[in-house]
């Protein structure tokens, strides 16, 4: 994964108004369900860290972009209360997780599957490392409905958007990819809150499990 130094430096400024407009609340609502040994994929600068509860017994974070990982480590070092049980950062890509199979109770992805190189391979890795009965907690923006004006713009502006936004693809059908591999128990369809989100409006979040 390439280092996106500028994107990493401005990421939290770019999202600040969106966090205030409801993204922070969405993160908190989702992460309340994290429990046990928990893996967060593509943790970025660590905007989810404040929302994990004491139900999380061990927190493992992956962040393959060195510029993001540096900020993530700085955030953890700067505030011991963020991960009272400690948190380990691995600079690993989602497509090749350096963890044994069935080793996590919870896996978290927020605004990540839009940016990974191969989302299907990433979800296969999530399925591999989740324990049977474990939960994938996700919040991802997705492609708008077929034939919609926004879906057309998501396709048209994919390249320039991706170049400016750290490799994010605005029109990925991430919800369909999750449905193809997991059973979604809780699904909330929302709108990406706040400004600057014309291309990434439809947002799905929820809890998914491996089929029994
Ligand atoms: C939009 S940011 C989201 C950061 C964080 N999850 C959040 O909710 O704020 C996308 C993140 O995905 C990471 N990423 C990109 N490619 C990845 C990959 N192949 N595997 C794991 N993470 C990746 C990026 O480095 C970046 O930190």
């Amino acid at each position: 994964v390439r280092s996106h130094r500028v994107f990493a430096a401005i990421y939290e400024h770019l999202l600040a108004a969106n966090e205030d407009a409801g993204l922070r609340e969405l993160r908190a609502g989702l992460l309340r369900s994290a429990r046990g040994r928990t893996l967060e994929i593509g943790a970025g600068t660590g905007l989810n860290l404040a929302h994990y509860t004491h139900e999380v017994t061990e927190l493992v974070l992956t962040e393959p972009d060195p510029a993001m990982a540096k900020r993530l480590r700085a955030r953890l070092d700067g505030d011991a209360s963020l991960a009272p049980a400690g948190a380990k950062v691995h600079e690993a890509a989602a497509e090749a997780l350096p963890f044994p199979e069935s080793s996590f109770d919870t896996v978290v992805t927020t605004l990540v599957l839009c940016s990974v190189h191969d989302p299907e391979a990433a979800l296969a890795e999530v399925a591999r490392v989740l324990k049977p009965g474990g939960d994938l907690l996700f919040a991802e923006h997705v492609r708008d409905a077929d034939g919609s004006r926004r879906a057309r713009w998501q396709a048209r502006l994919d390249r320039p958007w991706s170049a400016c936004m750290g490799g994010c693809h605005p029109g990925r059908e991430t919800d369909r990819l999750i449905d193809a591999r997991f059973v979604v128990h809780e699904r909330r369809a929302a709108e990406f809150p706040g400004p600057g989100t014309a291309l990434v409006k439809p947002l799905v979040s929820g809890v998914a499990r491996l089929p029994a």
Side-chain angles (χ1 to χ4, degrees):
V1 171
R2 259 183 58 210
S3 181
H4 296 90
R5 282 176 52 206
V6 175
F7 183 66
I10 63 172
Y11 181 64
E12 292 194 15
H13 302 284
L14 275 178
L15 269 192
N18 308 90
E19 297 289 340
D20 289 347
L23 194 53
R24 187 178 301 113
E25 213 179 314
L26 192 147
R27 293 179 188 278
L30 181 72
L31 298 170
R32 213 172 281 143
S33 308
R35 61 184 170 84
R37 189 158 195 258
T38 296
L39 169 67
E40 183 178 336
I41 291 176
T45 59
L47 287 172
N48 285 334
L49 291 174
H51 304 297
Y52 290 110
T53 73
H54 290 290
E55 293 293 317
V56 172
T57 51
E58 187 184 343
L59 187 58
V60 178
L61 307 165
T62 68
E63 179 42 65
D65 180 331
M68 286 284 191
K70 190 174 152 203
R71 288 183 151 72
L72 182 60
R73 290 195 175 101
R75 177 175 244 128
L76 285 164
D77 290 346
D79 185 349
S81 73
L82 282 177
K88 201 159 182 234
V89 179
H90 296 257
E91 289 189 30
E95 295 88 343
L97 294 173
F99 311 113
E101 63 189 53
S102 305
S103 51
F104 291 96
D105 300 291
T106 306
V107 176
V108 174
T109 74
T110 64
L111 311 178
V112 167
L113 294 171
C114 57
S115 299
V116 303
H117 175 64
D118 182 343
E120 284 179 285
L123 285 167
E125 279 293 82
V126 171
R128 184 181 66 77
V129 302
L130 259 185
K131 291 181 188 172
D135 288 330
L136 165 63
L137 309 182
F138 63 93
E140 299 285 344
H141 62 78
V142 297
R143 185 176 143 166
D144 209 333
D146 285 347
S148 65
R149 201 159 163 252
R150 191 189 321 271
R152 282 197 297 280
W153 281 106
Q154 286 176 324
R156 259 181 220 142
L157 295 182
D158 178 74
R159 272 187 159 209
W161 177 271
S162 177
C164 298
M165 295 293 176
C168 164
H169 297 281
R172 272 205 178 149
E173 295 185 288
T174 302
D175 41 352
R176 290 199 195 169
L177 298 180
I178 292 174
D179 282 332
R181 194 172 276 278
F182 294 88
V183 178
V184 176
H185 286 259
E186 290 169 36
R187 185 195 306 267
R188 284 173 293 274
E191 294 203 329
F192 204 121
T197 54
L199 275 195
V200 292
K201 214 55 185 167
L203 187 77
V204 293
S205 65
V207 182
R209 271 190 205 146
L210 293 170

